[in-house]
Amino acid sequence: MARAWLGGVVGAWVVTTGMAQAQDSERPALELDNIVVQSDKLEQTRDQLPASLSVIDARTLQSAPLDSLEQLVRRTPGFTFQPFGQSGTQLPVVRGLTSNATAFSNSLLMLVDGVPVLRGQGFDTDLVGVDQVEILRGPQSALYGRNAEAGVLSVSTRQPGAADYARLETGLASRNQQAYSADLSTALVEDTLYAGFAGQFTRQDGYLDDNFAGGTADDRERQSGRLSLHWTPDELTDATLRYSRMKYRDEASQWGSRTGPDRAVNSGLAGRNHSSGETWSLDVRRSLEGDLQLRSITARSVFDDRLRQDTDFQPLDLMHLARDYHFETLSQELRLSGSHEQSRWLLGLYADREDHDLGYEQKLPLGLSRTQTGLGGNTAAVFGQWLQPLSEAWSLTVGGRYENARAWIDPASTASQSDSWTHFTPKVALQYALTDDAHTYLSYTQGMRAGGFNAFASGAGNPAYDPEKVSSYEFGVKGLGADQRLRYSAALYRMQVRDMQVQQLIQQGLVYITNAASATSTGLDLDLEYLLDERWTLSAAVGLNRTRFERLREGANDYQGQRNPFAPDLTGHLGLRYDADAGWYAQGAVSAVGKVYLDAANTYRRPGYGLVDLSSGYRFGHYTVSTYVNNLLDQRYDAAGLLYGAVTVYSPPREVGVRLSFEL
């Protein structure tokens, strides 16, 4: 199925490119916007940035509809999430690189209005009031340091301004889903102070039968909100104070026994997930003499991961796990940018401090164990970037980051420990303009992911593990064609991963993270958007990746040549949209992900799958009524064998919904 799907996408790519070149010159003028992006910290148009980049705008988010990060990333090449089945915790997988939940760090950095999200716990944001999402693939540690070894996902929310704005939406869907959202803003003081609010409430019945208590075991409820105050006291100053909060009131995880009944549990211990998070941030921009720009982003983020989950799925409470984690991060970034003749430059300072309290409980037939640990650290870094034109066609980008990171652990039962690491992560990109609208580039970048301590391996003395390091070479071509109706990009890359952080079963009952592996990741990202005419739009994306261990031994087992867990060899998306003059639209999309293995031995797996999503809508005045079907064919793609073969993570079934929105 995956090969046939890929052949269809490549065929469509070739055919539509040929069609684009054959368009009649008398056709009405249509152009794709060359959007300005900021994920490289120096504002550039997306087609001039020498990197593999996907951009998703507010219109796409609202009309698809895209309600979650998992739905969003299906539209981009080389990006997926690990199957986890628990709200509030998502572990990204980009270009074959991923992380472990107990490492409390990610291979990809998420930014929400410039505020970093460093862990899988709390790696979530609602998409209400979001103006633009940028997904930058490949190591970005030269600008963003640790946890950006595979890329950056940058979310920008709508800034309240002088014009009043209101968008209200309500919806109903399968399994008694109710959804309500609002995005509002107004001026409090004319030309000076503006306020905005965006929020969402959703609840939905689960899809796992509870054979013990009746009903369903995995009902979901989520609440989120964001407040913004935007202050412009003069022409040179722009400051935004933001507060956001997200809360989950879920029942059990979307888990079941790998050998038990299908999509059903008999759990005598009711599961729950009462996680929550909040963030305060202050973003200040100041124009200085000449074209100098100063920007400061100060933030405090808190996330509480509170979960209890049965793991034997039987009436007697024989096995369960429970988490009570408190994560707190303070961060400060200060950067100065400007230009010199034709060059552009950026200098910055970054610092953060993390303080975490981790409480973990595990019940096994032999008894109950509890772990209480303090974990944290701090980071200090200086970074810079220089964009230098070499001629009319050639340009050079150089950058780097010098970073010192310290980690500490303070277990309740053993002695405290600390360690520190120093890194320099460079970036070099040479770019050539083939035409005014087409560019090719060659880049070399290094990335790293933070080291730390094994918080739950007290029996082994809570050993430390070192940072993971990546060296990446990338060659890309990108630009606009067919009278700017066709946007395309292709990036070929090879990454060498050293001191790879892997989770190993040292002995029965003792699992922890080590630097026991090295790997090579090679692949190709393809992205296309084409306006066939004034009504039809085609989009396509394909990610091919091959990540294999060069070295990994676990006891007597040698896993050389095996796949990195959770890393698919194929991701893809093909979408078609029709916009009618009468105010209605219809669109459909097919997305596909190749099979992934759930362990280093490549014993347990989730099969490859393809999903068909459809949506349509009609706009009349300020109102829009829309319908959608997600997973039209009710495709199953359960991950059977998580936790060393004990658990199946069930995939969501087909969902049908209708929504009504009002926009002023």
Side-chain angles (χ1 to χ4, degrees):
M1 184 276 293
R3 291 181 180 177
W5 186 92
L6 177 59
V9 170
V10 173
W13 194 303
V14 173
V15 170
T16 54
T17 303
M19 291 171 59
Q21 301 300 326
Q23 294 296 319
D24 190 324
S25 60
E26 295 181 1
R27 190 176 205 165
L30 293 169
E31 291 185 3
L32 289 165
D33 294 333
N34 201 351
I35 299 170
V36 174
V37 296
Q38 303 183 50
S39 51
D40 201 40
K41 295 194 178 182
L42 283 175
E43 292 186 355
Q44 302 183 67
T45 60
R46 62 182 293 179
D47 298 319
Q48 292 179 331
L49 184 68
S52 180
L53 173 73
S54 297
V55 180
I56 300 174
D57 60 16
R59 175 192 180 223
T60 302
L61 294 172
Q62 293 170 3
S63 64
L66 301 178
D67 295 322
S68 67
L69 291 179
E70 188 171 2
Q71 291 176 325
L72 183 145
V73 303
R74 288 207 296 261
R75 308 176 70 91
T76 67
F79 190 174
T80 59
F81 285 104
Q82 290 187 24
F84 207 71
Q86 297 175 354
S87 300
T89 297
Q90 296 189 106
L91 300 170
V93 185
V94 180
R95 290 187 170 180
L97 300 183
T98 187
S99 60
N100 300 285
T102 56
F104 306 117
S105 64
N106 275 341
S107 59
L108 176 129
L109 176 70
M110 182 167 76
L111 300 167
V112 180
D113 292 318
V115 178
V117 179
L118 303 173
R119 294 167 300 280
Q121 295 82 2
F123 195 98
D124 195 6
T125 184
D126 70 58
L127 299 176
V128 176
V130 167
D131 186 54
Q132 185 166 290
V133 179
E134 302 169 21
I135 300 174
L136 193 58
R137 291 173 291 273
Q140 304 301 322
S141 295
L143 289 179
Y144 290 103
R146 64 193 179 109
N147 306 85
E149 65 165 349
V152 171
L153 187 158
S154 180
V155 179
S156 299
T157 63
R158 194 181 58 81
Q159 182 82 305
D164 290 343
Y165 179 84
R167 178 181 170 83
L168 306 173
E169 186 172 88
T170 182
L172 300 172
S174 306
R175 307 195 313 277
N176 296 317
Q177 186 194 80
Q178 302 170 42
Y180 310 94
S181 66
D183 182 14
L184 311 168
S185 65
T186 190
L188 299 180
V189 179
E190 186 177 356
D191 297 329
T192 303
L193 185 63
Y194 318 95
F197 167 79
Q200 182 181 50
F201 171 87
T202 61
R203 71 158 311 279
Q204 188 172 32
D205 293 344
Y207 51 86
L208 304 186
D209 292 331
D210 189 338
N211 292 339
F212 181 79
T216 53
D218 59 318
D219 295 351
R220 292 288 182 266
E221 182 178 306
R222 167 172 160 165
Q223 306 167 33
S224 61
R226 180 178 61 253
L227 293 170
S228 303
L229 282 178
H230 181 205
W231 183 45
T232 55
D234 53 51
E235 294 182 354
L236 302 178
T237 307
D238 185 297
T240 305
L241 177 67
R242 297 183 177 95
Y243 171 75
S244 63
R245 181 167 176 80
M246 184 170 289
K247 182 168 67 173
Y248 308 92
R249 286 300 178 263
D250 295 353
E251 294 186 349
S253 305
Q254 291 155 345
W255 290 8
S257 171
R258 189 174 64 87
T259 58
D262 185 38
R263 297 202 173 214
V265 296
N266 294 287
S267 299
L269 180 71
R272 64 169 183 263
N273 181 350
H274 289 180
S275 300
S276 63
E278 66 177 16
T279 298
W280 286 93
S281 68
L282 177 62
D283 186 349
V284 180
R285 306 172 193 241
R286 175 74 178 179
S287 297
L288 304 177
E289 183 179 352
D291 63 351
L292 292 178
Q293 296 287 328
L294 181 66
R295 186 176 183 185
S296 169
I297 303 175
T298 308
R300 175 183 181 268
S301 299
V302 174
F303 187 77
D304 292 309
D305 181 11
R306 292 172 177 159
L307 176 139
R308 183 181 69 185
Q309 176 60 43
D310 185 26
T311 54
D312 61 69
F313 310 105
Q314 296 300 317
L316 293 178
D317 181 16
L318 298 177
M319 300 171 62
H320 73 250
L321 60 84
R323 300 194 299 264
D324 188 358
Y325 298 165
H326 176 82
F327 301 96
E328 184 170 339
T329 304
L330 298 173
S331 63
Q332 172 66 58
E333 181 172 315
L334 188 66
R335 59 184 190 245
L336 182 69
S337 61
S339 62
H340 176 69
E341 296 179 348
Q342 294 182 320
S343 304
R344 299 176 63 201
W345 56 268
L346 167 78
L347 288 173
L349 300 172
Y350 174 83
D352 68 31
R353 178 176 175 82
E354 297 185 278
D355 289 286
H356 312 320
D357 292 317
L358 309 177
Y360 182 76
E361 175 181 296
Q362 184 172 29
K363 185 173 184 180
L364 299 173
L366 296 179
L368 179 68
S369 63
R370 291 187 175 92
T371 302
Q372 193 70 40
T373 301
L375 194 70
N378 52 64
T379 303
V382 57
F383 59 89
Q385 183 168 260
W386 186 281
L387 280 66
Q388 176 67 51
L390 302 177
S391 67
E392 289 187 3
W394 291 93
S395 61
L396 178 69
T397 301
V398 294
R401 184 182 185 104
Y402 181 81
E403 181 170 293
N404 177 264
R406 175 180 173 270
W408 55 263
I409 186 170
D410 185 16
S413 57
T414 57
S416 301
Q417 302 179 64
S418 66
D419 205 344
S420 62
W421 303 271
T422 300
H423 312 274
F424 176 71
T425 46
K427 167 185 177 179
V428 180
L430 184 63
Q431 189 170 7
Y432 178 73
L434 300 168
T435 67
D436 289 342
D437 294 322
H439 304 265
T440 184
Y441 65 89
L442 178 66
S443 68
Y444 171 76
T445 54
Q446 289 185 8
M448 54 84 66
R449 181 149 53 92
F453 290 90
N454 283 277
F456 307 114
S458 57
N462 301 108
Y465 51 89
D466 290 327
E468 181 175 288
K469 307 179 187 70
V470 176
S471 298
S472 175
Y473 296 89
E474 180 171 322
F475 173 74
V477 179
K478 61 195 313 185
L480 295 168
D483 297 326
Q484 296 190 334
R485 292 194 301 272
L486 172 69
R487 172 177 285 112
Y488 59 88
S489 67
L492 181 67
Y493 60 88
R494 179 179 176 84
M495 299 191 297
Q496 183 68 43
V497 189
R498 307 182 308 280
D499 295 327
M500 193 173 187
Q501 297 172 8
V502 291
Q503 186 168 279
Q504 292 193 282
L505 181 65
I506 306 302
Q507 63 187 52
Q508 195 62 36
L510 184 57
V511 178
Y512 60 80
I513 298 168
T514 73
N515 299 100
S518 61
T520 300
S521 173
T522 57
L524 177 68
D525 295 335
L526 301 172
D527 219 338
L528 175 146
E529 184 180 7
Y530 177 45
L531 300 178
L532 286 87
D533 57 26
E534 64 273 13
R535 294 182 178 87
W536 290 95
T537 304
L538 177 74
S539 60
V542 176
L544 303 176
N545 176 267
R546 186 182 187 277
T547 302
R548 301 293 186 268
F549 290 120
E550 292 182 344
R551 173 182 60 88
L552 176 58
R553 297 187 65 89
E554 187 175 78
N557 300 312
D558 188 348
Y559 297 141
Q560 182 180 6
Q562 301 287 74
R563 298 188 185 194
N564 191 26
F566 308 109
D569 283 357
L570 166 69
T571 58
H573 171 84
L574 180 63
L576 187 64
R577 178 184 172 103
Y578 179 81
D579 288 280
D581 293 335
W584 61 270
Y585 68 88
Q587 59 188 349
V590 180
S591 55
V593 177
K595 69 179 177 183
V596 298
Y597 290 100
L598 310 179
D599 62 331
N602 291 180
T603 302
Y604 306 105
R605 70 173 191 168
R606 183 187 66 187
Y609 61 92
L611 301 178
V612 179
D613 300 328
L614 304 176
S615 63
S616 63
Y618 176 67
R619 182 179 178 90
F620 51 100
H622 295 292
Y623 295 90
T624 301
V625 60
S626 59
T627 62
Y628 68 92
V629 183
N630 291 334
N631 191 6
L632 174 69
L633 304 180
D634 205 19
Q635 179 72 40
R636 293 280 298 267
Y637 48 103
D638 303 335
L642 199 70
L643 302 185
Y644 291 91
V647 168
T648 292
V649 181
Y650 291 110
S651 59
R654 176 172 49 233
E655 179 178 300
V656 181
V658 59
R659 297 186 178 184
L660 176 65
S661 63
F662 169 84
E663 186 169 354
L664 181 64

